[in-house]
Amino acid sequence: MGKPKAKVDKKICLACGGCISVCPQDALLMCGGRAYVHEENCISCAICIRTCPVGAISGEAY
Amino acid sequence: MKYDVVVVGSGPAGSVTARFAAESGAKVLIIERRQEVGVPVLCGEGVSRKIDEWNMLEGKRWIAGSMDGARIYSPDGTMVKLSADMAGNETGYVVYRDIFDQELARQAVKAGAKIMMNTTSTDLLKDNDKIKGVRAKQFDEEFEIEADIVVGADGVESKVGQWGGIETRLEPKDLETCAQYTLTNVECKDAYCDFYLGKEIAPGGYAWVFPKGKDVANVGIGVLASLSESGMAKKLLDKFIANNPRLKNGEPIRFLAGAAPVASPVETVRDNLLLVGDAARHVDPITGGGLTCCLEGGKIAGETIGMAIEIQQFDQETLSVYEKNWKEAFGKKLKRNYLVKEILLDFDDKTFNMLADSLKDYKFEELSTLSLIKALVLKHPTLLMKLRPLVKISSETKE
Ligand SMILES: Cc1cc2nc3c(=O)[nH]c(=O)nc-3n(C[C@H](O)[C@H](O)[C@H](O)COP(=O)(O)OP(=O)(O)OC[C@H]3O[C@@H](n4cnc5c(N)ncnc54)[C@H](O)[C@@H]3O)c2cc1C
Ligand code: SF4
Ligand code: SF4
């Protein structure tokens, strides 16, 4: 099992775009009005998790 | 589909750029991901009355209230007041951003621009590295839009710049992560915008109360992303409201999350490409306010595009008239305020209390970050050492 990758809870996300603007891997994008993580690109740095103002992103182990 | 200009994003920066490009004869298309311009609102909705000079918005429906001034509260509650009588009535408005954005879009259409809603740009259209337009998606349909010039007006999360080879990714220390309620049942006894500072209140940022009516206010918070933890902005905002007697009985009629760049501006021009507004990081790094730059910069961008279309040259050199002119209009201010932001971040709560105490009876010549900085430098020559790089800049800067 690798390091946990970021995962967005669609019910909580309010589409502010903050996580997208700070992701060093360009792994996040807005999709259907919510942020979405491209798991292949995510390096589990957790920057997006700390940035989210409403706590919509968590780390999930794969 | 072939246009002279395709603008990605119908926020204020995109609409104003589109308007002035269309007014100078360009065939302009705006594409917007959302299904309604300006909705949802992601903004504190405060703006300087400086926008009156530019006369870009008709009517008054976009105005929620005119402001008489601002108050800044240090961590121990010491208040520094910047009021209209000191500032020559030059203060500002609290606006309805949805109506504000829609009015600017209406003006763009009136000038001849077209708008395509529910349409997301997914990439640039290129021919051997040369930008030829954008790839777009509307519901399940994917298509190409050709244009000589692409404008990235796609806000804080901008991708257009990155697609065109401009590094726009933000360091966490250059982003304010925000949350805001619009509260009713709060007491707004005067037309002042209030700002609250302190490490306990908002690390690397501030909390704000902007009145929108006699019992309605935008109450929000910005936290520097590098000092933030998951969900911190919302938690601190809830705490701020619970601890504030004036706000604690408020009931929310709106809640939003937001992100405001507080970075140095990026390069804004490439062959066939221009960035405006938040996408260009045209935001005051001290306040996080970006609306005045959207309007001022958008006009410059639109006029530059008009000139480029007229001579049919779309290379970086031709378009760099835009970069030169926005730097002249507000580039120095952004640079200076970025330096000030970095210095302020080093100050602890005690220093803020001391500074506020020394300015509490100060008569400010105008309501601006510049007059605050000037007052600080004047009152605290000992701090001058740290502030020296910006004093040089501020002496050259007109606001
Ligand atoms: C919480 C908060 C409070 C703020 N308060 C204030 C304030 O009080 N005063 C002030 O002056 N400024 C304030 N700001 C800053 C201000 O909101 C921004 O500077 C301003 O909205 C920037 O306008 P813009 O046109 O550049 O981008 P935006 O208004 O963000 O518009 C970008 C548009 O592009 C669209 N878009 C994005 N990507 C695509 C794509 N790929 N395809 C198609 N469309 C796309 C989006 O849907 C959006 O409509 C605040 C910001 C925040 C977050
Ligand atoms: S954890 Fe890091 S790499 Fe992964 S999506 Fe978040 S910011 Fe991007
Ligand atoms: S930072 Fe949080 S609320 Fe904002 S877009 Fe990302 S997941 Fe959504």
Side-chain angles (χ1 to χ4, degrees):
Chain A
M1 205 162 68
K3 269 170 76 182
K5 305 235 176 184
K7 186 171 168 57
V8 178
D9 186 333
K10 288 191 172 194
K11 294 192 293 297
I12 303 176
C13 170
L14 290 170
C16 73
C19 56
I20 299 175
S21 70
V22 292
C23 173
Q25 291 298 307
D26 212 4
L28 279 147
L29 73 165
M30 205 60 85
C31 186
R34 297 290 177 253
Y36 174 83
V37 181
H38 253 302
E39 282 144 25
E40 315 84 84
N41 295 358
C42 174
I43 53 163
S44 309
C45 69
I47 289 175
C48 60
I49 299 179
R50 287 200 300 273
T51 298
C52 181
V54 292
I57 315 181
S58 54
E60 190 169 270
Y62 285 88
Chain B
M1 275 184 273
K2 170 82 171 75
Y3 289 84
D4 293 326
V5 189
V6 59
V7 177
V8 181
S10 69
S15 287
V16 173
T17 305
R19 170 191 172 164
F20 285 93
E23 274 181 9
S24 47
K27 196 175 162 207
V28 183
L29 175 71
I30 304 173
I31 61 172
E32 171 55 54
R33 185 169 68 191
R34 296 166 161 188
Q35 56 182 343
E36 182 174 358
V37 171
V39 179
V41 170
L42 305 176
C43 188
E45 306 182 296
V47 64
S48 156
R49 201 171 269 176
K50 203 167 135 186
I51 63 167
D52 285 349
E53 291 167 31
W54 304 322
N55 218 0
M56 291 185 200
L57 297 119
E58 278 175 32
K60 300 225 173 293
R61 283 181 54 242
W62 49 276
I63 302 173
S66 296
M67 293 299 111
D68 292 333
R71 289 178 291 235
I72 304 168
Y73 294 88
S74 76
D76 69 1
T78 306
M79 189 238 293
V80 177
K81 188 163 161 179
L82 296 96
S83 68
D85 43 314
M86 294 176 200
N89 291 318
E90 279 294 306
T91 57
Y93 300 111
V94 175
V95 303
Y96 297 108
R97 254 307 286 282
D98 41 357
I99 306 177
F100 182 93
D101 284 20
Q102 286 170 14
E103 167 62 11
L104 292 174
R106 189 183 70 84
Q107 297 281 356
V109 171
K110 204 169 128 194
K114 301 271 178 226
I115 306 185
M116 197 185 278
M117 303 293 300
N118 292 305
T119 307
T120 307
S121 165
T122 53
D123 203 348
L124 288 170
L125 189 63
K126 287 187 190 168
D127 182 4
N128 288 327
D129 276 356
K130 186 174 155 54
I131 297 170
K132 305 280 277 183
V134 296
R135 290 182 195 285
K137 193 173 171 184
Q138 189 180 46
F139 305 113
D140 288 331
E141 195 191 341
E142 293 185 43
F143 49 94
E144 297 175 351
I145 302 168
E146 281 183 60
D148 293 318
I149 296 176
V150 176
V151 177
D154 48 341
V156 63
E157 68 188 75
S158 177
K159 292 281 178 213
V160 173
Q162 282 179 28
W163 295 333
I166 300 175
E167 177 57 84
T168 54
R169 195 187 74 82
L170 293 169
E171 296 288 331
K173 70 172 177 51
D174 288 338
L175 181 81
E176 292 286 336
T177 171
C178 309
Q180 176 182 277
Y181 291 99
T182 301
L183 293 182
T184 66
N185 198 35
V186 295
E187 198 188 316
C188 305
K189 57 179 187 317
D190 51 20
Y192 273 75
C193 286
D194 289 329
F195 300 82
Y196 297 81
L197 300 174
K199 294 235 170 355
E200 304 289 317
I201 295 172
Y206 60 87
W208 66 84
V209 180
F210 293 175
K212 281 191 92 172
K214 66 179 188 344
D215 59 357
V216 186
N218 285 339
V219 183
I221 196 165
V223 173
L224 204 66
S226 55
L227 304 171
S228 167
E229 294 295 336
S230 174
M232 186 195 255
K234 176 169 188 296
K235 276 182 213 142
L236 287 177
L237 178 59
D238 287 334
K239 189 170 133 195
F240 172 74
I241 292 169
N243 287 339
N244 189 313
R246 189 183 140 200
L247 304 173
K248 69 170 193 252
N249 296 320
E251 291 291 330
I253 53 170
R254 181 173 73 179
F255 178 69
L256 60 89
V262 284
S264 296
V266 292
E267 285 175 85
T268 51
V269 181
R270 287 283 188 274
D271 291 345
N272 309 84
L273 179 74
L274 251 123
L275 300 181
V276 293
D278 276 12
R281 311 317 186 200
H282 284 171
V283 178
D284 182 335
I286 298 181
T287 62
L291 290 172
T292 53
C293 290
C294 284
L295 269 53
E296 202 172 10
K299 179 165 191 274
I300 298 170
E303 289 169 349
T304 305
I305 291 168
M307 175 273 295
I309 300 289
E310 193 165 325
I311 60 172
Q312 287 290 302
Q313 282 179 22
F314 316 110
D315 55 295
Q316 183 166 346
E317 201 186 325
T318 306
L319 298 180
S320 65
V321 171
Y322 163 60
E323 181 136 335
K324 182 176 153 283
N325 289 352
W326 71 250
K327 281 188 175 157
E328 221 166 277
F330 52 77
K332 280 182 189 154
K333 170 179 163 180
L334 297 183
K335 217 164 122 185
R336 178 197 73 217
N337 285 8
Y338 187 79
L339 288 172
V340 176
K341 178 200 98 171
E342 302 251 281
I343 290 166
L344 294 180
L345 280 175
D346 280 344
F347 288 172
D348 56 12
D349 281 0
K350 256 171 68 186
T351 310
F352 278 120
N353 290 333
M354 183 274 286
L355 294 175
D357 192 62
S358 72
L359 291 183
K360 64 178 194 284
D361 301 315
Y362 193 86
K363 300 269 178 272
F364 291 92
E365 47 189 275
E366 54 171 22
L367 199 152
S368 69
T369 44
L370 179 62
S371 65
L372 256 179
I373 296 164
K374 277 187 181 160
L376 283 174
V377 171
L378 210 76
K379 284 268 178 181
H380 299 279
T382 43
L383 285 175
L384 210 66
M385 289 309 283
K386 265 189 172 171
L387 296 176
R388 186 161 289 161
L390 91 239
V391 176
K392 191 170 147 279
I393 294 175
S394 76
S395 65
E396 308 167 347
T397 308
K398 291 197 301 286
E399 297 227 357

